[in-house]
Amino acid sequence: MGGLLVAVLLPMAAAAGLRFAVGARSRAAGVAASTVTLICFGLVLAAAAEHLHAPSSVSYPWIPQLGLNLTLVADGLSLLFALLITGVGSIVFTFATAYLGPDENCRRFFSYLLLFMSAMLGVVLSGNLIVLFVFWELTSVSSFLLIGFWHQREASRNGALKALVVTSTGGLAMLVGFVMIGIVCGSFELAHVVEHRELLYASPWAGPAAFLVLIGAMTKSAQLPFHLWLPSAMEAPTPVSAFLHAATMVKAGLFLVARMGPLMAGVAIWTPMAAGVGLATMVWGSWLALRQTDLKGLLAFSTVSQLGLIMSLLSQASPAATSAGLLHLLNHGLFKGALFLLVGVIEHEAHTRDITRLGPLPARMPRVHTLLAIAALSMAGVPPLGGFVSKELFLEWQLNLGLFTAVVAVVGSVLTAAYCFALAIGLARGRGAPVGEAAAAHDPGMSLLWGPAVLVTAAVGLGFAPQAMVGSLVESATAAAVLDAPLHLHLALWHGWSTTLAASGVAITGGYILYTFWWQQSSIVPATLITDRLYSGFLVGLEKGARAITDSYMSGYLWRYLVLILSVGVTAMVAAVVGSGFDSPVVWNARTTRAHELLIIVGALAAAVAAARAPTRLAAILALGANGYSLALLFSLLGAPDLALTQVMVETASVALFLAVFVYLPPYRPMRNKRFRPGHMAVAALFGFGVAGLVYVVRGMRVAPTIAGHFIAKSVPEAGGHNIVNVILVDFRGLDTLGEITVLSVAALAAYSIVRGLRERRADGDIS
Amino acid sequence: MGIEIPILLLVGALLTTGVYLVLDRTLLRVVIGLGLLSNGTHLLLLSTGGLEEGAAPVLAHGVSTVVDPLPQALILTAIVISFGVTALLLTISYGVYERYRSDDLRELHGRLDDE
Amino acid sequence: MKRDSLIFMTVVPWVVPVLLAASLMLFLKGHNAPGGGFIAGLLTAVALVLRLLAYGSESVRGKESLYINLIIGGLAIAATTAIVPTLLGYPFFTHTFGHVHVALLGDIELASAALFDLGVYLVVVGNVVTVIVALTLSDEPPSDRDAQANGAEGTGAQDGH
């Protein structure tokens, strides 16, 4: 089990370490990253050998106070996905090392890619819902970084943002669902939750939780109506598309459906919603794929469609359907990974991926085209390739389910076969002659070909010997995804004559006819997605709305903000006190007032009014000073000599400061400023006397004695000081004082820099 | 009459004039208002100590009861800090005037975009 | 900002040393009587500002970095007295004290808290003086600017000169 932890953490550490180990454009980054991936693959293989038939889990405390553990689960499901991730990852990483141009920032690319792989492994291995969510979001973030890798291009940035917005919104929905589950079942540990699933079924939260979790899965796996982000994500470098947007990340949603299966299968909306969305996505996605001229766009919609197919199977909570879904998922990882890499090769060599510009491929790129055709035919479900086996199982399931699903499944399969033939046969015939650089394209060296070749070989092998290759893996994974599944899986190419076989035949024949009809159309116009328009409209609306709201209160006038803040603040304070119902009589035990104190208080009041009404600046400054000095007197009479001294000094320094500044300021404009503003005065009086009144009431409600006794008693014996105020400042509350002198210093340095900046500007002649 | 009532009335008046000036459109009056506001706040803090009969919190022979020293320590640093804030504000208003030739917030409104 | 006031220039040389001595007293006695770093620092700063007002900005030109160093040094001293106890195995901010007898000043207590207070003192002096010196040193406004401002405002009162 320790090996799996290493497999999760090692790529993350390597992603950080690359920064220090290699140069930005060094190809060594790719070599190092590929090595790390291979090590992870080895670790996962070792774990699979041990745990495939003996599932186990291990928990590392992370934030135990919150019940958060880094729980890693090694069962069939997690191992199947981990093998797919690290296996395809090994090939994609080495492919990308040869694929990236010499001017690309390889280090950054592979750092992101490693980070992604780490996150993806975390998602599939996690046995804790919150940890799963954290890794889930990490895949969204790393996918954002990878789609936007060519950040100079606007399309890349938009695509990255779109993917992030859609998938992280879904992720948040999923989190809410997880929290519901966690609260109802009393833990975020998956094993605990599944064990106590009856609690969820009995609670009213079951439906909403299932819905929200499914939203998360649908956004990640680009299901209708969230499929808009995947085509835009094709702006990523092709190895990224192959790895994230075909083989792994988009499968996270499927993984989630399979992982939550044991829990959610008992919730009524789960299966109908997921299966319905899956089938609809399959049909609509393949229809859109057929209408693409960009090879990557075609593959993107084909991925959307295939993910829908798998989704419709995995959500059934039936051993037969789930095993079919998992097998097709493996198939898809292989043939779609290969297809993406091959399209990447075509673009690399021909500098275009537009079907109408490529011309017939076999003459110039025979090897590439052969591999491409095999992979595409596997996707179409043509025997004897791997895709045929799982497609058969899919059709068998849907035919048994009912007439409606059977028709939908066959229609989807026909459309799928049609675009697959467009890839396999269409590219051989070409749509017109090659244009520009495409004419001079040729097969690349083995460094770019062996990766797709391995994947295609595996895809072919899955057709001939599915049971031997993945039988036990799929069986064990199905056992993990379906409760109490007595399953004796027998995967084989030949199932004998059956209606399913006939349906396959219909699909392939119909697909071929549709393809030939379609291929002869003079022009194909790629559709713009309605959801895409909705998305852009939403973004624009969001920006406009936010601006409108902000503009409505951010007037830029200080007094308007203050009036708002103070009014709300005073209202809240008064409401709080009135609401608390001060039943106790107001008792202060304050000493009585002496006559001369009253005099000083009146003096301070007069000075304050004078400062407000002063006709000139000098008068205002002096009035403020007089107010300060009166306060100093008052402090000394109230038993605060330290305060009195401080106030006197500060007042003196302040007056000097004002004098230093005000020679530069323009004179008051008494006529305008003396205008009395009753509104302002009302707010000010409400605030001033409101606060004073609150203190009057609240001080009388005192329930606990002051802590002053503590300071008075400890001052001499513990701090050796008789001046308690000073002892508090430098000793008892020394840290506060340290903070305060730091603030003071920052203020002074800021003031100094402002003045200095002004002087330099003036010296440069910026200010007259 | 207990001393808390005249003191709190003064606090109310100081906060009122302070806020009224802070709401003004002349920068210097805003700064002066802030000064009055801090003076009022300091007095307010002191009054939360209770304003009871007692000597200054300096322990010496013959001193039996002293007033609450804790608010005093808080206020002492607050006085110095408000000086720092006043200094910073004054410098900023000086800088604003240097650049825009105005100390009137209404005139200055939106002028940052002119740069 | 030079102000040629005869009285001012005559009195200041006498007053400033007195103020400085008083601030020293306030600082040393601060732990046991009203006073301490904040107050002594402010008083010293006031004395320095008085000197500045009397002798004009020429007397402080080029000394800005000195005052900034006071701030930095003060902060460093204060922080050090807080941190040193942790190095010796005591809790953060542990202070200790003892008594010595000094002629003229009487019983002086030597407390590590006084070192912290010294930091406070330096920071306060540095802060007040830095700001006021910086403002003073910013050049005198050209005389035509005032005229212009007054002209524009018409009724504006000319004050402060």
Side-chain angles (χ1 to χ4, degrees):
Chain A
M1 287 303 293
L4 287 180
L5 183 68
V6 174
V8 174
L9 297 181
L10 180 67
M12 204 180 282
L18 275 185
R19 175 75 186 77
F20 307 101
V22 299
R25 281 168 182 70
S26 163
R27 219 149 273 279
V31 177
S34 309
T35 314
V36 168
T37 316
L38 273 173
I39 292 172
C40 292
F41 184 54
L43 289 169
V44 173
L45 266 183
E50 191 180 346
H51 294 291
L52 195 55
H53 295 291
S56 76
S57 73
V58 62
S59 224
Y60 305 92
W62 179 22
I63 311 176
Q65 297 88 339
L66 298 177
L68 278 189
N69 302 311
L70 184 55
T71 305
L72 296 185
V73 176
D75 61 9
L77 191 61
S78 66
L79 289 169
L80 181 144
F81 274 90
L83 282 173
L84 183 69
I85 292 162
T86 51
V88 176
S90 304
I91 290 169
V92 169
F93 276 62
T94 41
F95 176 86
T97 310
Y99 181 82
L100 280 186
D103 298 331
E104 304 286 1
N105 190 334
C106 282
R107 185 176 65 191
R108 198 152 55 83
F109 181 81
F110 283 103
S111 291
Y112 294 164
L113 215 52
L114 282 168
L115 182 68
F116 166 77
M117 193 173 76
S118 174
M120 197 63 214
L121 284 171
V123 167
V124 300
L125 291 172
S126 170
N128 182 298
L129 291 176
I130 300 296
V131 174
L132 192 157
F133 166 77
V134 170
F135 281 119
W136 179 279
E137 291 294 292
L138 198 54
T139 63
S140 294
V141 170
S142 46
S143 161
F144 168 80
L145 292 171
L146 283 164
I147 298 170
F149 180 69
W150 286 317
H151 52 84
Q152 310 86 335
R153 302 183 187 170
E154 198 188 353
S156 288
R157 296 196 299 271
N158 290 342
L161 187 64
K162 197 187 287 184
L164 187 70
V165 167
V166 174
T167 55
S168 62
T169 308
L172 287 178
M174 182 183 86
L175 176 65
V176 176
F178 282 176
V179 169
M180 289 176 178
I181 296 171
I183 289 174
V184 170
C185 297
S187 168
F188 288 104
E189 292 291 318
L190 249 172
H192 180 274
V193 167
V194 172
E195 196 179 327
H196 296 84
R197 58 187 179 280
E198 295 300 334
L199 289 173
L200 181 69
Y201 301 158
S203 85
W205 298 106
F211 177 79
L212 289 168
V213 170
L214 208 50
I215 292 286
M218 284 159 59
T219 52
K220 202 72 163 181
S221 286
Q223 299 295 290
L224 284 178
F226 305 113
H227 59 301
L228 70 155
W229 70 264
L230 192 56
S232 308
M234 293 301 129
E235 292 299 329
T238 303
V240 173
S241 309
F243 190 37
L244 273 69
H245 307 126
T248 58
M249 188 180 83
V250 289
K251 303 235 164 81
L254 303 178
F255 167 80
L256 189 71
V257 169
R259 181 51 97 200
M260 302 303 282
L263 177 70
M264 289 299 186
V267 182
I269 69 160
W270 179 261
T271 303
M273 179 174 163
V277 166
L279 281 179
T281 307
M282 181 201 174
V283 174
W284 189 241
S286 50
W287 169 242
L288 288 172
L290 195 55
R291 295 172 60 186
Q292 302 299 312
T293 53
D294 174 16
L295 280 177
K296 260 181 115 173
L298 191 158
L299 290 183
F301 282 110
S302 129
T303 303
V304 168
S305 155
Q306 296 279 309
L307 293 172
L309 185 162
I310 303 170
M311 177 78 88
S312 73
L313 287 172
L314 288 184
S315 55
Q316 300 288 350
S318 130
T322 302
S323 58
L326 289 172
L327 181 65
H328 196 69
L329 186 143
L330 281 175
N331 262 323
H332 181 254
L334 296 174
F335 62 64
K336 191 52 69 65
L339 283 171
F340 265 108
L341 293 183
L342 289 165
V343 166
V345 170
I346 292 174
E347 190 186 9
H348 196 262
E349 301 299 323
H351 300 280
T352 180
R353 38 178 222 243
D354 191 329
I355 293 174
T356 57
R357 297 167 64 89
L358 276 170
L361 271 187
R364 285 158 296 140
M365 307 177 82
R367 290 173 177 170
V368 170
H369 182 260
T370 308
L371 291 171
L372 188 97
I374 296 173
L377 291 176
S378 177
M379 177 155 66
V382 172
L385 302 164
F388 172 72
V389 180
S390 48
K391 200 62 161 288
E392 280 277 277
L393 293 171
F394 163 72
L395 285 172
E396 184 180 356
W397 174 261
Q398 302 293 4
L399 290 180
N400 289 339
L401 214 55
L403 184 64
F404 179 68
T405 56
V407 171
V408 172
V410 171
V411 168
S413 301
V414 168
L415 287 166
T416 303
Y419 70 71
C420 291
F421 287 126
L423 282 175
I425 307 172
L427 281 179
R429 288 161 59 182
R431 270 181 92 89
V435 180
E437 290 176 272
H442 53 79
D443 269 342
M446 277 315 285
S447 64
L448 284 179
L449 277 186
W450 75 263
V454 169
L455 290 172
V456 167
T457 310
V460 174
L462 269 184
F464 287 106
Q467 183 66 32
M469 282 175 70
V470 297
S472 59
L473 187 63
V474 170
E475 195 173 321
S476 166
T478 307
V482 185
L483 280 175
D484 313 317
L487 177 72
H488 297 290
L489 198 63
H490 181 70
L491 302 171
L493 187 59
W494 180 248
H495 283 274
W497 300 101
S498 64
T499 41
T500 313
L501 190 64
S504 277
V506 169
I508 293 168
T509 320
Y512 185 76
I513 296 169
L514 183 59
Y515 145 73
T516 43
F517 171 73
W518 191 259
W519 199 253
Q520 280 151 12
Q521 295 290 309
S522 55
S523 67
I524 303 173
V525 182
T528 48
L529 300 178
I530 300 166
T531 46
D532 235 356
R533 284 205 293 269
L534 283 176
Y535 168 82
S536 353
F538 168 73
L539 277 197
V540 172
L542 190 68
E543 255 172 54
K544 277 191 186 154
R547 177 151 290 278
I549 291 173
T550 310
D551 285 348
S552 71
Y553 68 93
M554 295 295 281
S555 59
Y557 290 110
L558 181 63
W559 58 86
R560 292 196 189 153
Y561 301 151
L562 283 174
V563 165
L564 200 64
I565 293 169
L566 293 177
S567 313
V568 173
V570 170
T571 315
M573 285 191 293
V574 170
V577 169
V578 170
S580 75
F582 44 101
D583 49 344
S584 61
V586 175
V587 181
W588 270 65
N589 300 325
R591 65 174 175 79
T592 49
T593 319
R594 290 154 201 152
H596 60 282
E597 288 168 347
L598 264 186
L599 212 61
I600 295 167
I601 288 173
V602 171
L605 192 66
V609 174
R613 294 178 52 88
T616 65
R617 274 198 316 251
L618 188 60
I621 291 166
L622 292 180
L624 178 63
N627 179 261
Y629 287 122
S630 321
L631 243 60
L633 267 178
L634 213 48
F635 284 147
S636 72
L637 292 172
L638 290 171
D642 287 275
L643 292 190
L645 281 170
T646 314
Q647 184 79 41
V648 167
M649 305 298 168
V650 160
E651 229 40 71
T652 312
S654 292
V655 171
L657 185 71
F658 275 100
L659 290 176
V661 167
F662 91 143
V663 291
Y664 302 112
L665 294 177
Y668 265 172
R669 271 151 285 185
M671 294 315 287
R672 273 196 264 164
N673 275 319
K674 281 179 94 172
R675 206 184 89 202
F676 181 71
R677 293 178 153 274
H680 287 181
M681 181 47 90
V683 172
L686 199 66
F687 175 79
F689 289 99
V691 169
L694 281 177
V695 170
Y696 179 71
V697 174
V698 172
R699 177 63 177 72
M701 291 160 75
R702 181 157 215 159
V703 288
T706 165
I707 53 169
H710 168 81
F711 293 119
I712 296 168
K714 299 289 170 89
S715 183
V716 173
E718 287 198 356
H722 291 80
N723 180 358
I724 306 169
V725 174
N726 185 261
V727 167
I728 292 175
L729 281 176
V730 299
D731 199 331
F732 293 146
R733 308 292 310 169
L735 188 58
D736 292 352
T737 308
L738 185 60
E740 276 146 352
I741 58 177
T742 311
V743 171
L744 195 61
S745 308
V746 171
L749 291 178
Y752 174 74
S753 339
I754 290 172
V755 177
R756 213 182 125 110
L758 285 172
R759 275 160 69 191
E760 277 164 10
R761 277 174 73 111
R762 198 185 297 113
D764 295 345
D766 286 355
I767 296 175
S768 58
Chain B
M1 178 174 57
I3 194 163
E4 77 276 12
I5 293 174
I7 290 283
L8 282 178
L9 284 178
L10 176 60
V11 166
L14 285 181
L15 295 184
T16 304
T17 42
V19 170
Y20 181 73
L21 282 178
V22 166
L23 297 177
D24 201 274
R25 40 191 283 201
T26 312
L27 264 175
L28 192 74
R29 281 164 73 92
V30 172
V31 181
I32 288 177
L34 220 54
L36 289 176
L37 206 52
S38 9
N39 281 350
T41 311
H42 300 154
L43 204 55
L44 183 85
L45 282 175
L46 190 71
S47 68
T48 57
L51 302 172
E52 284 148 27
E53 196 77 57
V58 180
L59 299 172
H61 292 295
V63 173
S64 52
T65 53
V66 297
V67 297
D68 195 340
L70 192 58
Q72 295 194 20
L74 295 176
I75 299 165
L76 203 151
T77 48
I79 293 174
V80 181
I81 293 249
S82 56
F83 171 79
V85 171
T86 308
L88 183 59
L89 276 178
L90 273 178
T91 327
I92 291 173
S93 22
Y94 164 56
V96 166
Y97 179 70
E98 275 278 334
R99 212 183 243 201
Y100 301 105
R101 286 285 171 269
S102 170
D103 70 339
D104 185 312
L105 289 170
R106 192 176 290 267
E107 278 176 19
L108 286 168
H109 182 72
R111 289 277 292 280
L112 192 62
D113 304 332
D114 298 351
E115 282 286 287
Chain C
M1 196 164 90
K2 190 170 165 67
R3 283 180 174 65
D4 297 317
S5 158
L6 189 61
I7 303 173
F8 215 47
M9 292 189 67
T10 318
V11 170
V12 161
W14 293 93
V15 169
V16 168
V18 174
L19 290 181
L20 289 178
S23 81
L24 184 69
M25 280 296 290
L26 280 174
F27 177 76
L28 290 177
K29 284 289 188 183
H31 215 44
N32 292 315
F38 277 108
I39 296 166
L42 283 166
L43 188 55
T44 306
V46 167
L48 292 175
V49 170
L50 270 183
R51 225 176 75 93
L52 168 70
L53 290 178
Y55 297 123
S57 53
E58 287 308 312
S59 63
V60 288
R61 196 171 287 281
K63 288 190 186 165
E64 296 149 290
S65 61
L66 170 73
Y67 300 120
I68 288 183
N69 284 338
L70 279 185
I71 301 179
I72 296 165
L75 273 182
I77 291 175
T80 310
T81 56
I83 291 165
V84 164
T86 60
L87 303 180
L88 301 177
Y90 295 100
F92 191 54
F93 253 113
T94 305
H95 284 314
T96 180
F97 62 94
H99 293 264
V100 289
H101 205 80
V102 178
L104 291 178
L105 291 173
D107 186 37
I108 295 283
E109 191 178 281
L110 279 187
S112 64
L115 258 182
F116 180 76
D117 222 10
L118 178 66
V120 173
Y121 170 84
L122 292 177
V123 169
V124 171
V125 174
N127 279 305
V128 178
V129 180
T130 299
V131 176
I132 293 182
V133 163
L135 283 169
T136 311
L137 281 183
S138 61
D139 292 325
E140 293 277 341
S143 53
D144 60 337
R145 185 203 295 172
D146 281 20
Q148 197 184 359
N150 288 335
E153 302 310 329
T155 58
Q158 173 77 356
D159 54 44
H161 289 276

